[in-house]
Amino acid sequence: DASARCAAVLLRLAGRRLASEPEANLPSEIPATQAELAMNCNVSRKTISRIVGEFSRAGLLSIGYKWLTVQDPARLRHIAEGG
């Protein structure tokens, strides 16, 4: 599932992949464009744009110019694990 794969990549890039880390659920910025993120997730730019938009509307991400902020790592982790 592309959404789960992208959630996992976002968490990895943000340094928030493992729930046992002390800062696991704190927001974290990722200095990357959506094109770079698409390449890391192995999906098209169009697909990543849709997924990032969905995550943003759900309050999981904030979108900026050449950066993304993971706002809710716990919920992204749930998506990455297939939930």
Side-chain angles (χ1 to χ4, degrees), residues 4 14 17-18 25 35 39 41 55 67 69 79:
R17 183 67 181 119
L18 302 175
N25 293 318
M39 188 175 64
C41 295
F55 287 174
W67 60 265
T69 301
I79 292 168

Side-chain angles (χ1 to χ4, degrees), residues 4 9 13 16-17 27-28 30 35 42 45 47-48 56 72:
V9 168
L13 293 174
R16 302 290 190 255
R17 183 67 181 119
S28 180
I30 301 169
N42 198 29
R45 172 70 175 79
T47 299
I48 203 66
S56 177
D72 195 339

Side-chain angles (χ1 to χ4, degrees), residues 5 9 18 31 37 45 47 49-50 53 55 65 68 74 81-82:
R5 187 167 56 244
V9 168
L18 302 175
L37 186 58
R45 172 70 175 79
T47 299
S49 180
R50 178 184 55 81
F55 287 174
Y65 182 72
L68 299 166
E81 293 167 355

